[in-house]
């Protein structure tokens, strides 16, 4: 069997796990942003016809799961595992969506890094021969996150320009052992990094070092350079964290400025509501699944997707703890890298 | 607020990151807070003048004026307007008593879905509670000192 | 003219709140607590009355005015009833605003849902 580990923190997928289909469902504000035309469905009602924000979030996820299955022309019994997570306490948006689905379920919490955490684990399940096809999902919801992490939605407060807006939206991705690509080729699993930021209204600064650590580790482990990739995409550092990440990368000796972007920057038109940009599990999930996935057939051959998560809770920041952060990187390529490993 | 102890490396990063973060536009924010807060108070003056004009003393009119302003803040919160004013005006709409009403109604609405006892009832003072706890305790202390000095 | 003074004083108190929010790590809840306590203390020192004489609603509508309402009630009750006025006076004048806030809050929560 081929070696599946490389360097310290990187795994190699040796059996061609392929992204067969993706689907996205997003809210109104996301549907007015620059990625608007790439989403499968834009739902203008933040309650999505349900009675609570939390139920609405589950429905966003379910809608995406059903759409992804429809696109991949698979039935539930052909999906061996579902990996999904969100920001709500006890990841209830995912749990309650999975309640409606006849698929064995793994619930994940990686805060906003959940999407690449799911892709990594899904890829491993396929590569290990434990599954033929898996579903990976991630969701977040602005109002549900606001009331849990910050203040009631109707409270009249002003946020600082470093604050980010939680993306309302969910993406679902079907991975399969057999497929035409694009393929997951490698993943670098992040470590939890805490650089002492404690302001929950400045998560970009808290997460940038974790993203940079994972990306640098990925280059060291694989021996690749930034120019191996057409684009390096972080999850939700937004405008504040993106600039810091770029500078931290330079300090580490890697200039990525010509091929680096961030989903938190891409998802919104900047305004007084979105401030520094988007955040949430849904952010990198919907931007990758709608905008970048099709581009892998056209413009891009190789992407490094690095979803970033801030691992805080309202309890920890009220107790004065700093914000630990994590980032997982997944290399996604149009063609299988022949004989390179 | 409790502050965590940081290592030297964390401190250095925090300083560097903080030095590079965008600042709120202070001049704009202060001007808007001044104007919006001032307008709310001028409106309050109008309500106060009305109660005085129907025969109340300035002191008697204080309570009813607060009640009217609270009703206004609560109604604008229920209609989903006060949070937008707050986003625009910051302290200009937080500090007046209409903001106090907003801080009571916003959690009452938000936690309605957890029921009227444990949701609305228990959470209504999520933000206003500390104001009452420390306001009442300070007033009590002021009274105690007043009693010690004057009685 | 009373409108102008109310506008100026009320605006100035709110502007001070904005400075605290933007330049210190204090959250809105911290600033409100600070303001209500300051109002009570200034009232005890006899300063808040002067502000009200100048600015009318500009001094009573912002939250320090609520602190004044609490403290002035205590002092009145002490003058009238002695020691136990320290306890009975706290909500003496504040009751109108407080009960209005609770009852109106409850009614609004019956009538409306959060819009998000």
């Amino acid at each position: 069997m081929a070696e599946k580990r490389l360097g310290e923190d990187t795994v190699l997928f040796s059996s061609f796990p392929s992204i067969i289909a993706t689907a996205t469902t997003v809210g109104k504000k996301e549907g007015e942003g620059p990625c608007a035309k790439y989403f499968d469905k834009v739902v203008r009602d933040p309650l999505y016809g349900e009675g609570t924000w939390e139920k609405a979030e589950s429905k966003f996820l379910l809608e995406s799961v059903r759409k992804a299955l429809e696109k991949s022309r698979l039935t539930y019994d052909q999906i061996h595992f579902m990996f999904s997570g969100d920001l709500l306490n006890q990841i209830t948006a995912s749990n309650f969506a999975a309640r409606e689905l006849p698929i064995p379920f793994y619930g994940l919490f990686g805060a906003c890094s959940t999407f690449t955490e799911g892709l990594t684990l899904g890829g491993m399940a396929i590569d290990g021969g434990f599954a033929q096809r898996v579903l990976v999902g991630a969701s977040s919801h602005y109002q549900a996150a606001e009331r849990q992490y910050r203040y009631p939605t109707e409270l009249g407060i002003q946020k600082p320009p470093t604050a980010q807006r939680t993306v309302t939206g969910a993406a679902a991705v079907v991975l399969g052992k057999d497929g035409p690509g694009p393929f997951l080729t490698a993943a670098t699993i992040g470590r939890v990094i805490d650089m002492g930021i404690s302001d929950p209204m400045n998560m970009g600064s808290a997460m940038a070092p974790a993203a940079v650590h994972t990306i640098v580790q990925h280059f060291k482990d694989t021996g690749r350079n930034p120019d191996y990739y057409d684009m390096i995409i972080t999850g939700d550092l937004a405008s504040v964290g993106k600039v810091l990440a770029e500078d931290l990368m330079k300090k580490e000796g890697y200039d990525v400025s010509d091929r680096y972007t961030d989903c938190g920057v891409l998802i919104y038109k900047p305004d007084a509501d979105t401030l520094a940009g988007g955040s949430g599990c849904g952010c990198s999930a919907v931007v990758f699944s709608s905008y970048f996935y099709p581009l892998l057939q056209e413009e891009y051959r190789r992407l490094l997707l690095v979803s970033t998560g801030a691992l805080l809770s309202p309890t920890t920041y009220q107790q004065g703890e700093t914000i630990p952060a994590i980032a997982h990187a997944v290399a996604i390529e149009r063609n299988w890298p022949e004989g390179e490993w | 607020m409790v502050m965590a102890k940081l290592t030297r490396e964390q401190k250095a990063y925090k300083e560097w990151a903080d030095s590079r973060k965008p600042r709120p536009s202070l001049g704009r924010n202060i001007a808007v807070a001044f104007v919006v807060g001032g307008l709310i108070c001028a409106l309050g003056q109008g309500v106060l003048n009305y109660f005085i004009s129907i025969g109340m003393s300035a002191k008697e009119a204080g309570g009813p004026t607060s009640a009217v302003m609270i009703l206004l803040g609560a109604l604008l919160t229920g209609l989903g307007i006060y949070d937008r004013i707050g986003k625009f005006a910051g302290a200009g709409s937080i500090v007046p008593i209409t903001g106090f009403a907003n801080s009571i109604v916003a959690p009452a609405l938000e936690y309605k879905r957890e029921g009227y006892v444990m949701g609305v009832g228990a959470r209504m003072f999520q933000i206003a509670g500390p104001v009452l706890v420390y306001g009442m305790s300070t007033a009590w202390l002021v009274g105690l000192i007043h009693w010690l000095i004057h009685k | 003219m009373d409108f102008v003074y109310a506008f100026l004083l009320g605006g100035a108190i709110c502007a001070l709140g904005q400075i605290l929010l933007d330049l210190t790590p204090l959250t809105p809840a911290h600033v409100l607590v600070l303001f209500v306590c300051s109002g009570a203390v200034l009232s005890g020192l006899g300063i808040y009355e002067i502000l009200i004489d100048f600015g009318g609603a500009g001094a009573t509508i912002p939250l320090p005015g609520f602190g004044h309402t609490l403290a002035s009630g205590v002092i009145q009750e002490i003058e009238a009833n002695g020691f136990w006025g320290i306890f009975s006076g706290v909500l003496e004048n504040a009751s109108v605003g407080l009960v209005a806030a609770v009852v109106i809050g409850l009614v609004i929560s019956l009538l409306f849902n959060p819009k998000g």
Side-chain angles (χ1 to χ4, degrees), chain B residues 25-149:
Chain B
S25 34
L26 199 57
R28 177 259 173 220
N29 284 0
I30 292 174
V32 172
F34 182 85
V35 171
V36 173
L39 286 175
I40 293 173
C41 292
L43 181 66
Q45 187 68 45
V47 177
L48 186 74
N49 291 354
Y50 167 75
F51 282 114
I52 293 172
S53 76
I54 60 168
M56 288 186 184
S57 73
K59 199 171 170 313
E60 284 169 337
T65 304
S66 303
V68 170
M69 296 306 284
I70 284 167
L71 178 65
L72 186 70
L75 208 58
L76 289 175
T77 306
L79 293 170
I81 296 170
Y82 210 87
D83 62 325
R84 278 183 254 161
I85 301 177
K87 212 170 271 171
F88 171 72
S93 57
I94 293 172
V95 171
I97 199 157
T98 46
F100 184 69
N102 170 252
S103 80
I104 288 173
V105 176
L109 288 176
E110 188 65 58
Y111 298 106
K112 186 179 170 180
R113 289 157 187 160
E114 280 78 43
Y116 281 98
V117 175
M118 293 314 289
V120 175
R123 305 271 208 144
M124 194 180 244
F125 284 94
Q126 185 187 354
I127 295 126
V131 172
L132 292 180
V133 169
Y134 293 103
M136 286 162 71
S137 304
T138 308
W140 182 89
L141 201 63
V142 166
L144 182 69
I145 294 167
H146 181 87
W147 181 80
L148 287 173
I149 295 174

Side-chain angles (χ1 to χ4, degrees), chain A residues 97-110:
Chain A
R99 181 172 68 180
E100 312 295 320
L101 300 168
I103 307 173
F105 172 69
Y106 281 109
L108 307 179
F109 184 81

Side-chain angles (χ1 to χ4, degrees), chain A:
Chain A
M1 189 182 266
E3 180 56 60
K4 296 196 185 197
R5 286 194 63 86
L6 197 61
E8 286 181 43
D9 298 338
T10 298
V11 297
L12 299 174
F13 301 111
S14 49
S15 69
F16 312 95
S18 168
I19 302 179
I20 299 175
T22 66
T24 52
T25 315
V26 302
K28 174 168 174 276
K29 192 91 194 169
E30 295 68 25
E32 290 165 356
C35 297
K37 60 177 182 233
Y38 307 103
F39 299 125
D40 290 297
K41 186 166 182 176
V42 176
V43 180
R44 301 184 66 81
D45 170 17
L47 278 172
Y48 205 166
E50 297 291 324
T52 69
W53 312 128
E54 291 76 9
K55 277 188 192 157
E57 183 175 342
S58 283
K59 197 168 167 184
F60 274 94
L61 181 58
L62 266 180
E63 179 69 30
S64 295
V65 167
R66 292 193 175 124
K67 189 82 192 168
L69 280 176
E70 193 188 304
K71 283 187 181 175
S72 61
R73 297 175 192 198
L74 292 168
T75 53
Y76 289 124
D77 58 314
Q78 291 174 291
I79 305 291
H80 295 150
F81 302 122
M82 170 172 171
F83 295 86
S84 183
D86 56 84
L87 292 173
L88 302 184
N89 290 329
Q90 288 77 39
I91 51 170
T92 49
S94 295
N95 295 339
F96 282 52
R99 181 172 68 180
E100 312 295 320
L101 300 168
I103 307 173
F105 172 69
Y106 281 109
L108 307 179
F109 184 81
C112 316
S113 72
T114 303
F115 185 58
T116 49
E117 182 182 2
L119 287 179
T120 306
L121 290 169
M124 287 186 196
I126 290 174
D127 204 42
F130 300 105
Q132 301 282 311
R133 285 158 302 273
V134 306
L135 229 158
V136 175
S139 68
S140 53
H141 189 287
Y142 171 68
Q143 284 88 350
E146 256 331 271
R147 62 122 69 179
Q148 176 181 309
Y149 281 94
R150 289 169 278 269
Y151 297 107
T153 49
E154 296 300 330
L155 193 71
I157 49 149
Q158 205 170 41
K159 290 181 183 169
T162 50
Q164 294 168 238
R165 181 186 169 98
T166 307
V167 167
T168 297
V173 168
V174 180
L175 301 182
K177 188 171 168 39
D178 308 305
F183 304 98
L184 307 185
T185 58
T188 301
I189 319 305
R191 302 182 184 198
V192 177
I193 306 278
D194 186 337
M195 287 306 286
I197 302 291
S198 51
D199 179 4
M201 297 280 189
N202 186 6
M203 295 205 292
S205 296
M207 296 189 292
V212 170
H213 180 274
T214 301
I215 296 169
V216 169
Q217 191 68 50
H218 179 79
F219 290 150
K220 283 183 186 159
D221 287 349
T222 57
R224 291 171 182 171
N225 284 315
D227 38 317
Y228 180 85
Y229 294 102
D230 298 308
M231 195 60 87
I232 296 166
I233 310 151
T234 49
D236 56 352
L237 299 183
S239 58
V240 176
K242 178 175 181 268
V243 183
L244 296 181
E246 242 177 77
D247 283 5
L248 287 172
M249 292 292 301
K250 274 205 191 103
K251 282 187 192 172
E252 296 283 343
Y254 297 96
D255 186 356
V256 294
S257 49
D258 61 333
R259 57 193 68 232
Y260 169 52
T261 188
D262 179 80
C263 300
V265 173
L266 293 173
I267 190 157
Y268 292 125
K269 266 193 314 232
D271 68 17
D273 285 324
T274 62
L275 299 159
S279 68
C281 302
C283 185
S284 61
V286 300
V287 173
F288 170 78
S289 302
S290 65
Y291 177 66
F292 287 109
Y293 176 68
L295 285 181
L296 274 162
Q297 311 295 340
E298 302 158 16
E299 201 179 331
Y300 298 137
R301 291 166 49 85
R302 297 158 173 162
L303 299 179
L304 187 68
L305 178 66
V306 191
S307 298
T308 41
L311 305 171
L312 80 169
S313 83
T315 307
T316 63
Y317 79 70
Q318 279 168 9
Q319 292 177 349
E321 295 270 4
T322 50
I323 302 173
I326 192 162
H328 303 297
V330 182
I332 304 163
E333 305 186 35
R334 189 194 301 168
N335 301 311
W336 192 252
E338 274 174 50
E340 230 177 274
W341 304 120

